[in-house]
Amino acid sequence: MGQLQLDETRRAILDAVGHVLIEGGPGCGKTTIALWKARESLPQLQLDQRVLFLSFSRAAVRQVTDRMVGVLSRGDRERIEVRTFHAFFLDVVRSHARLLTGKPARFITPERESQLRADHVGDWQTETIRLAREESVFVFDTLAPTAASLLEGSDTVRSLYSAMYPLVIVDEFQDTNRDQWRVVQAFASESTVLCLADPDQRIFEHLDGVDEHRLSEAKQFLRPTTFDLSADNHRSPGGGLLDYANAVLRNRPATPPEDVRFRSYRRLPPELMAHWAVAVVAQAASQQLGPTPTIAVLTRANSLAARVSEALEHEQTMPNSSVLPPVEHVLHWDPELAASAGLVVASVLEWPHLSTAEAVIHTLTQIAEYYRVKVGRGTHGARRTIATTDRAIEAVRAGRAPSSKTAKILIERAGDSTEFTGQPVRDWQAARARLAGSTELNEVFKQVRLLRLLHATDALAWALLDAWDGDVGYRDAVGSVRVALAEEAVNAARQDPPAVSVMTMHKSKGKEFDAVVIVEGRYDGPLISGDPRQADADRRLLRVAITRARHWVVFIRPEGATPLTPVEPRS
């Protein structure tokens, strides 16, 4: 178990009685001292009591549990529950929702919610509230308010959880929404609450219920003993990265340190420049840190992240004729959308057992389901595509010629002799190849290629082997693929972090890497908005992105981009 160097402030944190608020920037040691505070409380706990550590994401939970290994003994670690808010709320609602509704709780998965939302006429949020109150059916967004109502409204429930968790640690407290804050307030009546916060990492104020005044509210309500660790930096101990990130945040003059580099582009695509940067950084980092440094490529937009991933997947040639080899990496993407596209391919594998009309209707139905998931993501035009697809299904079912280009293509291809070989990988590729020629088919084809990022090839192959009829096609391939992908999505969340990750800047919150490459596209959203009202939020997000790095940051920006600070960058 590691030893913590205790200065005067940290000794005071361990000695503090009652609610505590610890403020500080990335790498200041908030998590470590909170774990030590938790350890100090363990001797006072009864055998069935635990410390509850709440955070926002699975990545943050994993980071905390990894940190525990170096701070706490195995026995101490077993008495600290590190959970996401969502997982904790789910348990509360599952156990006690009957007190509010008189019925046992039932739950709608995010994928199913996307489909229901697409078909719902009226305000979906109002409908989710009705489902929770009248039918005891809950979606993701109704878990937090329901858990809050249970803890606020029932002395018995509140006392039960406070007795179970006498100490509650809340990570990234500045980002709590109103319902999460209600839960913290409820706990505070009987449990001791320790809040960890960085006022400069507020990047989710665009979400409903997240309030820039949350820390002020907490200080007024909790009356905590407050500690400031903002002067400390253990993530990048030289201080250069954090100092520069703070200069970007406040738009004050600063010369970029040696570990922050800039590369601009004019004619080359940014995704090619990103590939080059990853290769250069990986080589330099390997020489200094060992063979497997961690690198993150961060963007503002999902579309640019997808293009960067595509570039990293293939060998690239630079203008000077140097060759960039493919880079094994993971794109932090939307697995539900890719999985839904995979079900479209699976439907094609069932064609040999169906008439032409049945085959087309089956695949069009899966395409409509894919776009229902997109509706849940707020994609403009997805409802219109669903309506067009549904009309095509009605036409085919009635024996009429559909007007949809997608339906016409599917009719032509389903009418061909469609036989497969029983070799799942080859058959999958053959089925996928039929999905081309229209906007909808091309999109599904492109999205389903991302399934490789789930490393689901083996799982799909085994699932399809079980579905093979031994002759010409697959039976219930859609059902088999759905189960296989659901299991692989869970397994992917548990995998060790990859050497290279590609994600949006928002998704990087709570993660750490040896190096970070921040890529700005020409048209995929600037790093700094020209709108002063948005610029402050942009700078907070940039600070988060920069401080994900332990050692190096490389910026890839178009020529003429808005300077990040009043001083010209180091090239």
Side-chain angles (χ1 to χ4, degrees), residues 101-258:
T101 65
K103 305 174 183 177
R106 294 182 292 133
F107 303 95
I108 297 175
T109 64
E111 178 187 6
R112 181 57 180 157
E113 183 191 358
S114 297
Q115 296 166 356
L116 292 173
R117 179 187 299 175
D119 292 334
H120 182 70
V121 177
D123 182 68
W124 177 246
Q125 184 177 7
T126 300
E127 174 63 7
T128 61
I129 295 172
R130 186 198 67 78
L131 285 170
R133 290 177 177 173
E134 299 179 11
E135 301 184 28
S136 202
V137 174
F138 300 92
V139 299
F140 185 97
D141 287 339
T142 52
L143 291 176
T146 304
S149 295
L150 284 164
L151 292 169
E152 289 173 339
S154 171
D155 293 340
T156 301
V157 172
R158 184 171 61 253
S159 295
L160 173 68
Y161 281 96
S162 284
M164 189 183 306
Y165 304 114
L167 175 61
V168 179
I169 302 172
V170 184
D171 197 18
E172 302 287 1
F173 178 78
Q174 75 280 348
D175 287 329
T176 51
N177 64 28
R178 71 172 65 87
D179 295 312
Q180 292 159 346
W181 171 222
R182 289 169 59 201
V183 169
V184 174
Q185 289 174 292
F187 264 120
S189 65
E190 299 182 47
S191 299
T192 298
V193 173
L194 192 163
C195 299
L196 311 179
D198 180 356
D200 292 326
Q201 282 205 68
R202 302 188 326 269
I203 63 172
F204 295 112
E205 288 178 6
H206 61 286
L207 299 179
D208 183 46
V210 179
D211 192 330
E212 63 179 314
H213 303 296
R214 183 72 69 226
L215 283 176
S216 298
E217 293 178 353
K219 291 176 182 179
Q220 183 175 359
F221 181 86
L222 298 174
R223 302 292 182 186
T225 305
T226 301
F227 299 91
D228 187 354
L229 302 182
S230 58
D232 298 339
N233 175 22
H234 304 294
R235 179 174 301 170
S236 50
L241 290 178
L242 181 58
D243 289 345
Y244 182 70
N246 287 333
V248 171
L249 172 70
R250 296 175 175 88
N251 195 25
R252 69 186 185 207
T255 300
E258 288 290 338

Side-chain angles (χ1 to χ4, degrees), residues 379-410:
T379 303
H380 180 71
R383 289 185 186 277
R384 186 166 56 251
T385 302
I386 294 170
T388 300
T389 305
D390 286 345
R391 286 195 296 271
I393 291 172
E394 293 174 4
V396 174
R397 185 174 284 125
R400 302 192 309 270
S403 58
S404 161
K405 182 178 180 180
T406 296
K408 292 176 180 177
I409 292 172
L410 292 177

Side-chain angles (χ1 to χ4, degrees), residues 515-541:
V516 167
V517 178
I518 299 175
V519 186
E520 180 176 5
R522 286 191 179 93
Y523 311 109
D524 297 88
L527 295 183
I528 302 292
S529 172
D531 184 348
R533 295 170 297 181
Q534 177 63 30
D536 287 345
D538 292 340
R539 290 183 178 278
R540 286 197 298 272
L541 182 59

Side-chain angles (χ1 to χ4, degrees), residues 236-277:
S236 50
L241 290 178
L242 181 58
D243 289 345
Y244 182 70
N246 287 333
V248 171
L249 172 70
R250 296 175 175 88
N251 195 25
R252 69 186 185 207
T255 300
E258 288 290 338
D259 42 13
V260 176
R261 295 286 174 162
F262 288 78
R263 290 293 183 271
S264 61
Y265 63 88
R266 182 172 60 180
R267 294 187 178 89
L268 294 179
E271 49 269 32
L272 177 60
M273 292 294 293
H275 194 155
W276 169 83

